[in-house]
């Protein structure tokens, strides 16, 4: 069984000055002490990053790319974010608000974002499959941290 899995989520964003500014702000604040603390607390994320993909004309941001490698399966991973890490959940909900291709019936009120809406959004925009990921070691984050904390 593969222990490490990928998330490579590309979200095209609305092309307004406000959306562009919010994407920049989210990018700049992603690796905050709060994010680091939250990710360390759950001890399943090997790496996490956000990249802003530029428009082809070089002006502004076309979309947001979220890239992570994590232990376990996708459902467990997303459930932890949704149920126990409000700051990470808020980051994903913020990205949803900027999504340019939102269906007409997609909830816009954060309080209406259920786990199903949350997980379907991420899974539908995930460009990676488990088989796409090369990983050099089979150990989990917890095993690696325990080994090197000695």
């Amino acid at each position: 069984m593969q222990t490490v899995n990928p998330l490579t989520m590309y979200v095209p964003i609305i092309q307004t000055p406000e959306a562009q500014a919010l994407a920049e702000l989210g990018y700049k604040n992603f690796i905050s002490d709060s994010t680091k603390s939250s990710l360390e607390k759950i001890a399943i994320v090997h790496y996490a990053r956000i990249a802003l993909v530029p428009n082809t004309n070089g002006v502004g941001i076309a979309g947001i790319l979220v890239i992570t490698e994590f232990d376990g399966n996708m459902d467990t991973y997303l459930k932890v974010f949704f149920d126990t890490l409000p700051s990470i959940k808020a980051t994903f909900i913020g990205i949803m608000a900027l999504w340019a291709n939102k269906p007409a019936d997609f909830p816009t009120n954060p309080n209406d974002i259920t786990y199903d809406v949350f997980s379907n959004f991420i899974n539908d925009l995930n460009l990676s499959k488990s088989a796409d990921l090369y990983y050099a070691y089979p150990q989990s984050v917890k095993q690696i941290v325990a080994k090197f904390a000695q």
Side-chain angles (χ1 to χ4, degrees):
M1 180 177 140
Q2 183 164 334
T3 58
V4 181
N5 283 293
L7 170 65
T8 308
M9 183 179 78
Y10 177 70
V11 182
I13 66 167
I14 303 165
Q15 297 296 297
T16 64
E18 297 81 14
Q20 300 283 304
L22 286 170
E24 284 281 349
L25 183 64
Y27 170 76
K28 289 178 183 169
N29 291 318
F30 177 66
I31 300 299
S32 65
D33 289 341
S34 172
T35 301
K36 289 178 188 176
S37 175
S38 292
L39 294 177
E40 288 168 3
K41 175 182 170 186
I42 61 169
I44 60 172
V45 177
H46 290 261
Y47 301 99
R49 59 202 170 280
I50 289 180
L52 301 179
V53 178
N55 281 310
T56 56
N57 65 4
V59 179
I61 302 159
I64 299 170
L65 188 61
V66 178
I67 306 167
T68 69
E69 290 80 29
F70 57 92
D71 294 327
N73 65 49
M74 182 66 82
D75 189 54
T76 301
Y77 176 67
L78 296 179
K79 201 83 166 125
V80 168
F81 286 160
F82 192 83
D83 290 342
T84 65
L85 297 177
S87 65
I88 303 293
K89 176 182 173 182
T91 298
F92 279 101
I93 289 175
I95 292 170
M96 287 178 191
L98 301 178
W99 185 23
N101 300 335
K102 232 183 303 230
D105 63 344
F106 195 84
T108 55
N109 180 340
N111 294 328
D112 294 335
I113 305 289
T114 64
Y115 175 74
D116 286 342
V117 169
F118 182 81
S119 65
N120 287 341
F121 166 77
I122 294 168
N123 282 310
D124 289 349
L125 295 174
N126 185 11
L127 304 173
S128 296
K129 296 177 184 65
S130 296
D132 298 338
L133 181 66
Y134 163 80
Y135 56 101
Y137 53 87
Q139 292 81 12
S140 70
V141 170
K142 289 178 184 174
Q143 291 168 324
I144 293 166
V145 170
K147 177 71 175 171
F148 291 100
Q150 300 170 355

